[in-house]
Amino acid sequence: MEREKNLRFLKSLFKRFYEQEALFEKISAIKYREFGFSTLEARMMIRHLSFENENSLVKFLSEKVPADCYRSTAYYLNPSAMNMEEKEWLGADLVFDIDADHIQTSCKKRHDRWKCLDCGENGYGSAPENCPKCGSKRIDEKAWFCSECLEAAKMETVKLLEFLDSDFGLTDQEISIYFSGHRGYHVHVESEEFKVLDQDARREIVDYITGLGLDPSLHGLRDVGGEEYLTKILKFSAWAERLMRNGYDIILKYGLEDLLRIGVKDKVALNIIKNRERIIDLWWKGKFNQIVGVDGKTWDSIFLEAVRKGSVLIDTVVTADVHRLIRLEGTLHSKTGFRKVKVLKALESFDPLKEAVVFKKGEVRVHVYESPDFRVGDSVFGPYSDVDVELPISAAVLLICKGLAHII
Amino acid sequence: MEESIETLAKYPFIPEASEYFKVKTGTGDILLADFEKTEFEDVVIRAEERIREALDREEVSYKSNVYVELLSFPLSLAIVKAVGDSFLSQRYASAEAKRLIKLLQNEKTQTIFLKIANEVLMWRAEYVWQKAPYDYALNVRDYLQIAPNFRDRSWKLINKPIRDGYVYLTRGEFTRLMAEGIKNMIEDELEDRFDKELPGKLGKVVNRIRLLVSEKRPKAEGLEEFKGRIVLEAFPPCIGAFYQALVNGQHLPHTARFAVTSFLLNIGVDPEDIVKLFTKLPDANERITRYQVEHIAGLRGSKTKYTAPKCETLKTHGLCVEDGRFCGRIKHPLSYYRRAIRRVGRVGEGEKSEVSEKPIQEVL
């Protein structure tokens, strides 16, 4: 009954949104894209659809009112064909997905919950591998997202953009940044250069950005080349520069605890802390082997940490997949009621909890089962536990979409 | 720029070479029937020799009779196409690539390098004079279309110096990439097979090559012999871990599910048994699982039967166990299994019962 009411409420809001908002920026080569939709009622996925133009797409959306809308990153000769062979793949945009879910933030301890499906034991934070009480591995996780999570995802996106610019030489015109409408960002690259790349090539790009398989000695960073040699290397290798910069930070700023955490032996760590200035001096001269008391194993640990700091936590599957469906820009996310929205200004000053909000007028009464505190627009709400409250529609929709409240 | 006939003989795939064929015969393209004439006898001999060299030594030589050297290249291609054997096609393409490497090693200037890279392979490459230790800059897109074929980790994109969309390379590395590019180009060309037999003399050459190919072809080793049984002890660590997780009803990411499903299907496990395995998972939905398993098995949708992902793919998705340190130089979970199963099989006759050769239902 409550479910029915929620559904009717969401459906009427979503329908009005798709009817009234001419929401679409131009989707490039729209008739070569495959579209897919999930329905509000059955959470079923309908795919292999195609549209001649934006008008027919908007008409479809306002008639069918999907829960979530997707489109292919790929271009197909026959996008509505049922299988890949007949679709005839022509190329695909390069896309990146950065999701706060993949980033370990301290706020998770506050707002994420888990529950053991066998014994009912529960707690806060990311779900443990085994239930601490009964040892079961069947654990249900309820993850929330907050400004801090979104900020962490934004910082990763900033790092990614630096890669696309300084390493891959892409221009601003080729890159579009979107807030996904939920926990993260999508970066779409529409460039002739990258369109034709196959899965293996895209995996190489993924490994490059996630820092997988990096060997500092292959970047000349373990050689005894001296200052001039190092300068040359840094000029041509963006990763070498990243490693040197991050290594510098590690040597200069890491305390004993941090150094031990990254695997440096305590004696060596103390030596590093004592001689920071001198080590840094030799560091920028490329004389790694002349630093007394810092052995090869320690350099390995420091470089490994420098790789971790320099790399970006992208979803590896999304970028490597050349047949991926990705959320359609401008449309609503059924887990939040926010929309996937393009970041038009500087990413640093972009506020997703403001820009992605759609339902700005009116209030509605809901019963909230349980919710942490959260912000929508400029207002902060909650925490709530088993109460009836009147909320602005956007906040109420968020809780309903998250399954934490129902319409009264 | 006008190229000398010597340059064309060395690098017969550069565009001017085909112009040369037309001028020489005066009638446009040379017809296959022309090779019956005695004036082309040397060319036919050299064309057959090129292919024999590829089969015998895996490398085509360079001979200084430039006219014969030049014309024998397209004729060799025609003969290989007529043989229509993919082992020969690959062997020939790679032997021509080795010829190219040798010839480029003796070049004094960058001109021919840039010509082949930018006008034959259609890359965007530049000579970076005085930017030692590098000699050439290659657009990252072009690099990515070629280098992922190379296994050594020094070729991984992440281990290359990159700035502003260009990969910096030494002359040796650039040569190796160009050879790979030409090899791919020749292979693509050879895909376009002849369905008719060649006439006269050339037909005889084709028959001789066919005979030689059958002698040289490596013996194939399939997984067929293991079909229908699984040997758990021979699973690679990654697949073993996913399999164990499934048996215990633990959550598995999609990529791991795909890997273990395609692996099991590849070693001949029945799709129905795999569905049973998956229905132990907390989020199990038998209908969806069956659809997905059958899809991977090629019974539905695109009808493509998927091969299990290779080690590199598993690494990218963070599924490789301890960076493959248990696996030696293995590149694919299926080759691990193939080797391990041979090793397990090698134990003395009496000990063979240790291997679980039961069908999967009983193992579960």
Side-chain angles (χ1 to χ4, degrees):
Chain A
M1 201 50 213
E2 283 154 7
R3 201 183 158 270
E4 289 294 305
K5 256 170 123 175
N6 282 347
L7 203 62
R8 273 205 303 278
F9 175 70
L10 289 181
K11 186 133 188 170
S12 71
L13 279 177
F14 278 33
K15 186 171 174 63
R16 199 159 9 124
F17 170 77
Y18 286 123
E19 278 171 355
Q20 291 175 359
E21 302 242 356
L23 60 152
F24 299 103
E25 50 179 300
K26 217 168 153 40
I27 296 157
S28 64
I30 186 167
K31 61 178 180 179
Y32 296 104
R33 306 282 190 177
E34 179 197 348
F35 286 79
F37 304 93
S38 68
T39 59
L40 276 164
E41 291 82 1
R43 299 277 161 189
M44 249 174 51
M45 184 75 167
I46 307 156
R47 50 183 300 186
H48 309 302
L49 296 175
S50 69
F51 297 93
E52 271 302 302
N53 51 44
E54 269 85 2
N55 287 344
S56 56
L57 171 60
V58 171
K59 187 160 170 279
F60 178 93
L61 293 180
S62 47
E63 274 168 17
K64 305 282 180 189
V65 197
D68 296 284
C69 313
Y70 304 90
R71 65 153 174 98
S72 62
T73 59
Y75 307 84
Y76 302 106
L77 198 57
N78 308 303
S80 56
M82 294 298 279
N83 64 58
M84 284 306 157
E85 218 156 283
E86 286 168 30
K87 272 191 183 359
E88 291 194 49
W89 190 86
L90 301 170
D93 303 329
L94 184 66
V95 291
F96 299 93
D97 178 16
I98 290 173
D99 194 314
D101 195 31
H102 295 152
I103 307 170
Q104 275 308 322
T105 53
S106 58
C107 54
K108 284 203 162 63
K109 285 192 205 89
R110 286 201 307 276
H111 58 56
D112 284 5
R113 305 205 59 169
W114 57 268
K115 188 178 173 192
C116 173
L117 290 173
D118 285 330
C119 74
E121 179 78 355
N122 61 80
Y124 282 95
S126 300
E129 198 145 309
N130 297 303
C131 170
K133 194 171 170 196
C134 73
S136 164
K137 291 185 185 266
R138 303 193 327 124
I139 289 170
D140 181 47
E141 198 175 7
K142 270 216 170 10
W144 183 255
F145 67 107
C146 68
S147 308
E148 196 180 326
C149 300
L150 294 178
E151 195 57 28
K154 191 199 275 182
M155 286 303 113
E156 288 300 304
T157 311
V158 170
K159 264 156 75 182
L160 172 65
L161 294 175
E162 204 236 6
F163 269 95
L164 298 182
D165 170 34
S166 71
D167 302 46
F168 291 97
L170 288 160
T171 60
D172 288 351
Q173 286 74 44
E174 293 168 304
I175 300 172
S176 305
I177 309 158
Y178 296 90
F179 171 60
S180 72
H182 189 203
R183 290 178 302 203
Y185 290 86
H186 295 168
V187 175
H188 299 207
V189 174
E190 291 191 18
S191 156
E192 290 303 324
E193 311 267 293
F194 290 93
K195 230 172 238 178
V196 292
L197 295 180
D198 65 7
Q199 266 186 50
D200 285 345
R202 284 168 206 248
R203 268 196 310 101
E204 283 294 301
I205 296 177
V206 170
D207 291 353
Y208 187 91
I209 289 171
T210 56
L212 189 83
L214 192 152
D215 181 345
S217 62
L218 289 171
H219 283 272
L221 293 182
R222 300 301 289 269
D223 302 352
V224 199
E227 204 168 350
E228 199 181 322
Y229 179 72
L230 187 63
T231 313
K232 230 166 213 171
I233 292 211
L234 296 190
K235 199 168 151 201
F236 297 109
S237 165
W239 251 116
E241 195 193 4
R242 230 170 249 127
L243 290 181
M244 288 300 287
R245 227 172 35 215
N246 293 340
Y248 171 84
D249 274 354
I250 293 164
I251 295 166
L252 208 61
K253 294 180 190 152
Y254 273 32
L256 184 62
E257 202 178 305
D258 291 326
L259 288 172
L260 294 179
R261 176 178 55 82
I262 66 170
V264 178
K265 295 248 163 49
D266 44 3
K267 225 171 108 186
V268 183
L270 289 169
N271 182 35
I272 292 176
I273 292 168
K274 212 171 112 193
N275 299 304
R276 289 187 203 273
E277 301 296 334
R278 203 174 54 81
I279 295 173
I280 285 299
D281 187 45
L282 291 167
W283 173 258
W284 285 117
K285 289 183 177 144
K287 295 177 179 168
F288 308 107
N289 61 328
Q290 292 179 18
I291 302 173
V292 182
V294 184
D295 57 329
K297 262 217 154 80
T298 304
W299 287 124
D300 288 344
S301 306
I302 291 176
F303 276 123
L304 205 64
E305 177 71 356
V307 172
R308 194 195 58 77
K309 281 166 75 95
S311 60
V312 186
L313 290 163
I314 54 173
D315 185 323
T316 56
V317 179
V318 171
T319 304
D321 189 351
V322 294
H323 301 117
R324 195 77 189 174
L325 290 182
I326 193 154
R327 185 171 300 280
L328 178 60
E329 41 274 61
T331 60
L332 298 168
H333 198 306
S334 75
K335 278 185 184 155
T336 57
F338 298 149
R339 74 200 274 191
K340 174 168 172 177
V341 59
K342 192 167 185 172
V343 179
L344 292 167
K345 51 182 164 189
L347 182 57
E348 282 83 351
S349 59
F350 176 86
D351 180 359
L353 294 176
K354 221 179 239 178
E355 310 279 345
V357 176
V358 182
F359 308 113
K360 290 177 181 156
K361 284 187 199 139
E363 303 205 315
V364 65
R365 274 187 77 74
V366 290
H367 178 82
V368 186
Y369 314 116
E370 181 93 53
S371 132
D373 57 318
F374 62 97
R375 175 171 74 85
V376 177
D378 287 321
S379 314
V380 177
F381 307 92
Y384 300 116
S385 183
D386 214 14
V387 286
D388 293 349
V389 279
E390 186 164 80
L391 289 175
I393 288 190
S394 55
V397 167
L398 173 60
L399 292 181
I400 291 169
C401 285
K402 278 275 172 190
L404 302 178
H406 68 83
I407 288 283
I408 305 173
Chain B
M1 197 178 72
E2 195 73 11
E3 299 294 344
S4 69
I5 178 155
E6 197 190 343
T7 302
L8 297 179
K10 281 180 181 165
Y11 311 108
F13 36 76
I14 61 184
E16 287 90 330
S18 59
E19 292 303 311
Y20 187 84
F21 306 142
K22 289 177 192 165
V23 175
K24 198 67 195 170
T25 51
T27 55
D29 290 320
I30 302 175
L31 301 171
L32 283 171
D34 292 336
F35 290 106
E36 295 297 320
K37 297 176 193 157
T38 41
E39 58 166 307
F40 283 115
E41 208 173 295
D42 291 347
V43 177
V44 176
I45 290 170
R46 176 62 183 142
E48 181 174 353
E49 189 183 48
R50 281 179 106 116
I51 302 169
R52 286 182 174 273
E53 285 173 354
L55 284 167
D56 291 337
R57 314 190 287 124
E58 300 185 34
E59 182 175 336
V60 175
S61 66
Y62 170 68
K63 297 222 161 140
S64 52
N65 185 345
V66 287
Y67 173 66
V68 171
E69 192 68 4
L70 174 55
L71 287 185
S72 61
F73 175 69
L75 184 58
S76 293
L77 292 182
I79 293 166
V80 174
K81 283 181 188 184
V83 174
D85 180 281
S86 53
F87 161 70
L88 175 67
S89 296
Q90 283 167 22
R91 178 66 79 88
Y92 183 71
S94 102
E96 281 287 346
K98 283 185 187 149
R99 175 182 182 273
L100 172 65
I101 292 181
K102 281 263 169 73
L103 289 170
L104 285 175
Q105 278 165 350
N106 293 321
E107 290 291 343
K108 302 269 184 301
T109 68
Q110 72 274 17
T111 325
I112 190 68
F113 286 84
L114 293 178
K115 173 126 192 153
I116 295 171
N118 294 335
E119 291 175 37
V120 179
L121 296 166
M122 303 315 237
W123 291 349
R124 273 139 313 161
E126 286 165 29
Y127 182 61
V128 288
W129 191 59
Q130 279 192 339
K131 286 194 179 172
Y134 315 111
D135 302 297
Y136 293 91
L138 177 63
N139 187 285
V140 65
R141 183 199 80 172
D142 301 322
Y143 182 86
L144 282 174
Q145 289 192 332
I146 293 293
N149 296 339
F150 299 155
R151 290 288 164 241
D152 194 272
R153 66 203 182 117
S154 68
W155 287 104
K156 274 191 79 63
L157 188 66
I158 192 164
N159 286 322
K160 284 274 164 275
I162 295 178
R163 277 281 181 203
D164 297 325
Y166 278 83
V167 184
Y168 290 85
L169 301 159
T170 63
R171 177 182 154 126
E173 291 170 333
F174 193 58
T175 305
R176 178 80 181 76
L177 287 172
M178 287 212 295
E180 185 73 8
I182 293 295
K183 190 193 90 178
N184 292 347
M185 211 178 82
I186 295 175
E187 265 179 16
D188 288 350
E189 169 70 28
L190 294 174
E191 278 287 297
D192 186 20
R193 303 237 169 104
F194 288 163
D195 42 14
K196 273 189 291 199
E197 291 294 321
L198 293 185
K201 255 192 217 170
L202 295 181
K204 286 189 186 121
V205 176
V206 168
N207 286 336
R208 285 200 293 273
I209 297 296
R210 280 206 177 114
L211 199 66
L212 189 59
V213 167
S214 67
E215 284 169 25
K216 298 281 175 181
R217 189 195 313 279
K219 301 287 164 277
E221 246 184 299
L223 278 169
E224 279 65 26
E225 49 185 308
F226 309 121
K227 280 226 181 306
R229 64 195 168 112
I230 66 166
V231 182
L232 286 174
E233 294 87 333
F235 277 22
C238 51
I239 303 291
F242 309 150
Y243 182 81
Q244 210 49 52
L246 281 183
V247 173
N248 296 341
Q250 280 164 251
H251 176 79
L252 264 187
H254 266 293
T255 39
R257 291 179 194 207
F258 175 77
V260 67
T261 306
S262 50
F263 180 90
L264 292 173
L265 288 167
N266 288 160
I267 65 170
V269 178
D270 189 66
E272 203 50 41
D273 294 324
I274 300 174
V275 173
K276 274 186 209 146
L277 203 54
F278 272 100
T279 43
K280 292 187 164 193
L281 291 177
D283 56 354
N285 175 324
E286 192 178 323
R287 190 178 56 82
I288 293 175
T289 305
R290 172 160 292 116
Y291 178 83
Q292 287 172 340
V293 170
E294 289 177 357
H295 188 89
I296 298 169
L299 302 172
R300 281 172 182 268
S302 61
K303 308 276 178 204
T304 325
K305 187 174 173 183
Y306 289 86
T307 307
K310 56 190 168 191
C311 295
E312 271 188 81
T313 308
L314 294 168
K315 277 187 188 151
T316 297
H317 300 317
L319 299 173
C320 176
V321 174
E322 297 200 30
D323 207 20
R325 70 183 178 90
F326 305 110
C327 304
R329 294 182 66 83
I330 296 259
K331 309 275 187 267
H332 201 288
L334 286 169
S335 26
Y336 182 102
Y337 186 70
R338 222 180 339 234
R339 282 194 208 182
I341 216 168
R342 256 182 259 133
R343 201 176 55 227
V344 179
R346 227 180 278 137
V347 292
E349 284 296 306
E351 295 167 63
K352 260 207 164 158
S353 57
E354 280 178 27
V355 183
S356 23
E357 294 187 3
K358 297 172 220 161
I360 188 165
Q361 294 95 311
E362 290 170 45
V363 177
L364 294 176

